[in-house]
Amino acid sequence: MTERLNVIERLVELGFTQYEARAYVGLLGQPPMTGYALANGTKIPQPKVYETLRRLEDKHVVVRINDEPARYVAVSPDHLMSQMEGDFGRRLADARLSLHKLHLDGADEGLRVMHSLGSFAASAAKANSLIEAASRHVYLSLHSDQLEDLAPALTRADSRGVRIDLLLFGRGEIPLRHGRLVRHASTSGIVYRHHQARHLALVADTDEALWALAPAGRDWQGIYAKDPLLSAVVKGYVRHDLYIQQIFSDLGEELEARYGPGMEALVSAPPESVEEADDTAASAEAALVRATRRSKSA
């Protein structure tokens, strides 16, 4: 009896109603039975047994042998399981197609998944894993205070031939055979007199990106995602900063002459007159000519 109850429970888990499971088990291995006999053997109420048998017949779980009186037999367990597997497979395929279509239809309104990083330790651990997995190119911007945590992974990536473009705030150092290290001019008190904030910006192989920030040098918060949009934003930020620092390295005297010590005029009011604006354009053009001449003579 216990085994029969277990089988009934399994069938219920597979989608049978309690009466359907009891009716099938009651018919299994038996000669053709009437509804009356089945109700007596399974304790299914007679008003329910014929309704149950009709549903099972519609599902091809039982077969009616004759009509006067109607007698029923159960299909074999192998036939039943094969039939259920086929039905489930078709429903699963239909559901997959429907979900895929729904996803495509709502793609423009979908959510981008970003993973939160609540500390520098978590951000550094994720950054190290991205560097270790990189095979082509790493863009990285950080302060020398954080360089020590990433240096071993960077060295191993460099030894694998991964190109590393590193923008470094502070006075740290790391040798790179494949790529370059550009030191931010704020380390000399230029461009920005003070730089208390700390950040970690990284893109690995153009499709994974990490951005972490500590506005006052502590209380780090970060995000990570394998997302082309975030990767493009972070890579654009790092590359833009690299280019600006290279320009300042080549044209520092001209830029200071125009914008003053610490490049303070970059955040001051624009020129007050057309003549001053024209002078600014002329100065910039002259600086560009001088830089071009130096480049050709180098």
Side-chain angles (χ1 to χ4, degrees), residues 80-108:
L80 175 64
M81 291 297 103
S82 177
Q83 178 178 287
M84 292 184 69
E85 286 176 354
D87 290 343
F88 182 77
R90 285 189 292 272
R91 290 197 299 271
L92 185 62
D94 288 343
R96 181 180 290 112
L97 288 173
S98 298
L99 288 170
H100 184 64
K101 183 178 184 302
L102 185 64
H103 173 70
L104 292 179
D105 290 344
D108 292 340

Short mmCIF file of all heavy atoms in Angstrom, two decimals, residues 80-108:
data_model
loop_
_atom_site.label_atom_id
_atom_site.label_comp_id
_atom_site.label_asym_id
_atom_site.label_seq_id
_atom_site.Cartn_x
_atom_site.Cartn_y
_atom_site.Cartn_z
N LEU A 80 3.31 5.68 -20.99
CA LEU A 80 2.91 6.90 -20.30
C LEU A 80 4.09 7.86 -20.14
O LEU A 80 3.97 9.06 -20.43
CB LEU A 80 2.33 6.55 -18.92
CG LEU A 80 1.97 7.76 -18.04
CD1 LEU A 80 0.86 8.58 -18.66
CD2 LEU A 80 1.58 7.30 -16.63
N MET A 81 5.26 7.34 -19.68
CA MET A 81 6.41 8.20 -19.46
C MET A 81 6.92 8.80 -20.78
O MET A 81 7.29 9.97 -20.84
CB MET A 81 7.53 7.41 -18.78
CG MET A 81 7.22 7.00 -17.33
SD MET A 81 6.99 8.43 -16.22
CE MET A 81 5.20 8.46 -16.07
N SER A 82 6.93 7.98 -21.84
CA SER A 82 7.37 8.49 -23.14
C SER A 82 6.44 9.59 -23.62
O SER A 82 6.88 10.62 -24.15
CB SER A 82 7.41 7.33 -24.15
OG SER A 82 7.76 7.80 -25.43
N GLN A 83 5.16 9.39 -23.44
CA GLN A 83 4.17 10.39 -23.85
C GLN A 83 4.34 11.67 -23.05
O GLN A 83 4.30 12.78 -23.61
CB GLN A 83 2.77 9.82 -23.65
CG GLN A 83 1.64 10.77 -23.98
CD GLN A 83 0.29 10.11 -23.79
OE1 GLN A 83 -0.10 9.26 -24.58
NE2 GLN A 83 -0.41 10.49 -22.73
N MET A 84 4.56 11.54 -21.74
CA MET A 84 4.72 12.73 -20.89
C MET A 84 6.00 13.47 -21.23
O MET A 84 6.03 14.71 -21.22
CB MET A 84 4.70 12.32 -19.42
CG MET A 84 3.35 11.80 -18.94
SD MET A 84 3.32 11.44 -17.17
CE MET A 84 3.44 13.10 -16.50
N GLU A 85 7.08 12.74 -21.52
CA GLU A 85 8.33 13.39 -21.91
C GLU A 85 8.15 14.20 -23.19
O GLU A 85 8.64 15.32 -23.31
CB GLU A 85 9.43 12.35 -22.09
CG GLU A 85 9.95 11.76 -20.79
CD GLU A 85 10.97 10.67 -21.02
OE1 GLU A 85 11.18 10.29 -22.19
OE2 GLU A 85 11.55 10.19 -20.03
N GLY A 86 7.45 13.60 -24.16
CA GLY A 86 7.20 14.33 -25.39
C GLY A 86 6.36 15.57 -25.19
O GLY A 86 6.67 16.64 -25.71
N ASP A 87 5.31 15.43 -24.39
CA ASP A 87 4.44 16.59 -24.12
C ASP A 87 5.21 17.68 -23.39
O ASP A 87 5.09 18.88 -23.72
CB ASP A 87 3.24 16.15 -23.28
CG ASP A 87 2.26 15.30 -24.07
OD1 ASP A 87 2.35 15.31 -25.32
OD2 ASP A 87 1.43 14.62 -23.43
N PHE A 88 6.01 17.28 -22.40
CA PHE A 88 6.77 18.27 -21.64
C PHE A 88 7.80 18.96 -22.52
O PHE A 88 8.00 20.18 -22.44
CB PHE A 88 7.47 17.60 -20.45
CG PHE A 88 8.23 18.57 -19.59
CD1 PHE A 88 7.59 19.40 -18.69
CD2 PHE A 88 9.61 18.68 -19.71
CE1 PHE A 88 8.29 20.30 -17.92
CE2 PHE A 88 10.33 19.57 -18.95
CZ PHE A 88 9.67 20.38 -18.04
N GLY A 89 8.47 18.18 -23.38
CA GLY A 89 9.44 18.77 -24.29
C GLY A 89 8.83 19.80 -25.21
O GLY A 89 9.42 20.87 -25.45
N ARG A 90 7.64 19.51 -25.74
CA ARG A 90 6.96 20.47 -26.61
C ARG A 90 6.57 21.73 -25.85
O ARG A 90 6.73 22.85 -26.35
CB ARG A 90 5.73 19.82 -27.25
CG ARG A 90 6.07 18.84 -28.38
CD ARG A 90 4.81 18.40 -29.12
NE ARG A 90 3.94 17.59 -28.26
CZ ARG A 90 4.05 16.27 -28.15
NH1 ARG A 90 5.01 15.62 -28.80
NH2 ARG A 90 3.22 15.59 -27.38
N ARG A 91 6.04 21.55 -24.63
CA ARG A 91 5.66 22.73 -23.85
C ARG A 91 6.87 23.56 -23.48
O ARG A 91 6.82 24.80 -23.48
CB ARG A 91 4.91 22.29 -22.58
CG ARG A 91 3.52 21.71 -22.84
CD ARG A 91 2.69 21.68 -21.57
NE ARG A 91 3.29 20.84 -20.55
CZ ARG A 91 3.08 19.55 -20.40
NH1 ARG A 91 2.27 18.92 -21.25
NH2 ARG A 91 3.64 18.87 -19.42
N LEU A 92 7.98 22.88 -23.16
CA LEU A 92 9.20 23.60 -22.82
C LEU A 92 9.72 24.39 -24.02
O LEU A 92 10.14 25.56 -23.89
CB LEU A 92 10.26 22.61 -22.35
CG LEU A 92 11.58 23.20 -21.83
CD1 LEU A 92 11.33 24.06 -20.60
CD2 LEU A 92 12.58 22.10 -21.50
N ALA A 93 9.69 23.77 -25.21
CA ALA A 93 10.14 24.47 -26.42
C ALA A 93 9.24 25.67 -26.71
O ALA A 93 9.74 26.75 -27.07
CB ALA A 93 10.14 23.51 -27.60
N ASP A 94 7.93 25.50 -26.56
CA ASP A 94 7.01 26.62 -26.79
C ASP A 94 7.27 27.76 -25.81
O ASP A 94 7.26 28.94 -26.18
CB ASP A 94 5.56 26.14 -26.65
CG ASP A 94 5.12 25.27 -27.83
OD1 ASP A 94 5.80 25.30 -28.87
OD2 ASP A 94 4.10 24.56 -27.68
N ALA A 95 7.51 27.39 -24.55
CA ALA A 95 7.77 28.41 -23.53
C ALA A 95 9.08 29.14 -23.83
O ALA A 95 9.16 30.37 -23.68
CB ALA A 95 7.83 27.77 -22.14
N ARG A 96 10.10 28.40 -24.27
CA ARG A 96 11.38 29.02 -24.58
C ARG A 96 11.23 30.02 -25.72
O ARG A 96 11.76 31.14 -25.66
CB ARG A 96 12.40 27.95 -24.95
CG ARG A 96 13.79 28.52 -25.26
CD ARG A 96 14.79 27.44 -25.64
NE ARG A 96 15.14 26.62 -24.48
CZ ARG A 96 14.81 25.35 -24.33
NH1 ARG A 96 14.10 24.74 -25.28
NH2 ARG A 96 15.16 24.67 -23.26
N LEU A 97 10.52 29.62 -26.77
CA LEU A 97 10.31 30.53 -27.90
C LEU A 97 9.52 31.76 -27.49
O LEU A 97 9.83 32.88 -27.90
CB LEU A 97 9.58 29.79 -29.03
CG LEU A 97 10.40 28.75 -29.80
CD1 LEU A 97 9.51 27.98 -30.77
CD2 LEU A 97 11.55 29.40 -30.55
N SER A 98 8.49 31.56 -26.68
CA SER A 98 7.67 32.68 -26.25
C SER A 98 8.47 33.65 -25.38
O SER A 98 8.36 34.88 -25.54
CB SER A 98 6.44 32.18 -25.47
OG SER A 98 5.63 31.36 -26.30
N LEU A 99 9.26 33.10 -24.47
CA LEU A 99 10.08 33.96 -23.61
C LEU A 99 11.12 34.71 -24.42
O LEU A 99 11.39 35.89 -24.16
CB LEU A 99 10.75 33.11 -22.52
CG LEU A 99 9.84 32.59 -21.42
CD1 LEU A 99 10.58 31.58 -20.55
CD2 LEU A 99 9.31 33.73 -20.56
N HIS A 100 11.74 34.02 -25.38
CA HIS A 100 12.74 34.67 -26.21
C HIS A 100 12.12 35.82 -27.01
O HIS A 100 12.69 36.91 -27.11
CB HIS A 100 13.37 33.65 -27.16
CG HIS A 100 14.49 34.21 -27.98
ND1 HIS A 100 15.67 34.67 -27.44
CD2 HIS A 100 14.60 34.38 -29.33
CE1 HIS A 100 16.45 35.11 -28.41
NE2 HIS A 100 15.83 34.94 -29.55
N LYS A 101 10.94 35.59 -27.56
CA LYS A 101 10.26 36.65 -28.32
C LYS A 101 9.91 37.81 -27.41
O LYS A 101 10.07 38.98 -27.78
CB LYS A 101 9.00 36.10 -28.98
CG LYS A 101 8.26 37.10 -29.86
CD LYS A 101 7.06 36.48 -30.52
CE LYS A 101 6.37 37.48 -31.47
NZ LYS A 101 5.95 38.69 -30.79
N LEU A 102 9.43 37.48 -26.22
CA LEU A 102 9.08 38.54 -25.27
C LEU A 102 10.31 39.35 -24.89
O LEU A 102 10.26 40.58 -24.78
CB LEU A 102 8.45 37.92 -24.02
CG LEU A 102 7.90 38.90 -22.96
CD1 LEU A 102 6.76 39.71 -23.53
CD2 LEU A 102 7.44 38.13 -21.73
N HIS A 103 11.44 38.66 -24.71
CA HIS A 103 12.68 39.34 -24.37
C HIS A 103 13.12 40.28 -25.49
O HIS A 103 13.52 41.42 -25.25
CB HIS A 103 13.78 38.32 -24.08
CG HIS A 103 15.13 38.93 -23.88
ND1 HIS A 103 15.45 39.68 -22.78
CD2 HIS A 103 16.24 38.93 -24.66
CE1 HIS A 103 16.70 40.10 -22.88
NE2 HIS A 103 17.20 39.66 -24.01
N LEU A 104 13.03 39.80 -26.74
CA LEU A 104 13.42 40.64 -27.87
C LEU A 104 12.49 41.83 -28.02
O LEU A 104 12.93 42.94 -28.30
CB LEU A 104 13.42 39.80 -29.15
CG LEU A 104 14.50 38.72 -29.26
CD1 LEU A 104 14.36 37.97 -30.56
CD2 LEU A 104 15.90 39.33 -29.14
N ASP A 105 11.19 41.58 -27.83
CA ASP A 105 10.22 42.67 -27.97
C ASP A 105 10.45 43.76 -26.93
O ASP A 105 10.22 44.94 -27.18
CB ASP A 105 8.79 42.13 -27.84
CG ASP A 105 8.39 41.29 -29.04
OD1 ASP A 105 9.07 41.37 -30.07
OD2 ASP A 105 7.39 40.54 -28.93
N GLY A 106 10.90 43.35 -25.74
CA GLY A 106 11.11 44.33 -24.67
C GLY A 106 12.56 44.70 -24.45
O GLY A 106 12.90 45.26 -23.41
N ALA A 107 13.41 44.39 -25.44
CA ALA A 107 14.85 44.60 -25.25
C ALA A 107 15.18 46.06 -24.98
O ALA A 107 16.06 46.38 -24.19
CB ALA A 107 15.62 44.10 -26.47
N ASP A 108 14.46 46.98 -25.66
CA ASP A 108 14.74 48.40 -25.47
C ASP A 108 14.40 48.87 -24.07
O ASP A 108 14.87 49.91 -23.64
CB ASP A 108 13.97 49.23 -26.49
CG ASP A 108 14.48 49.00 -27.91
OD1 ASP A 108 15.62 48.51 -28.05
OD2 ASP A 108 13.73 49.29 -28.86
#
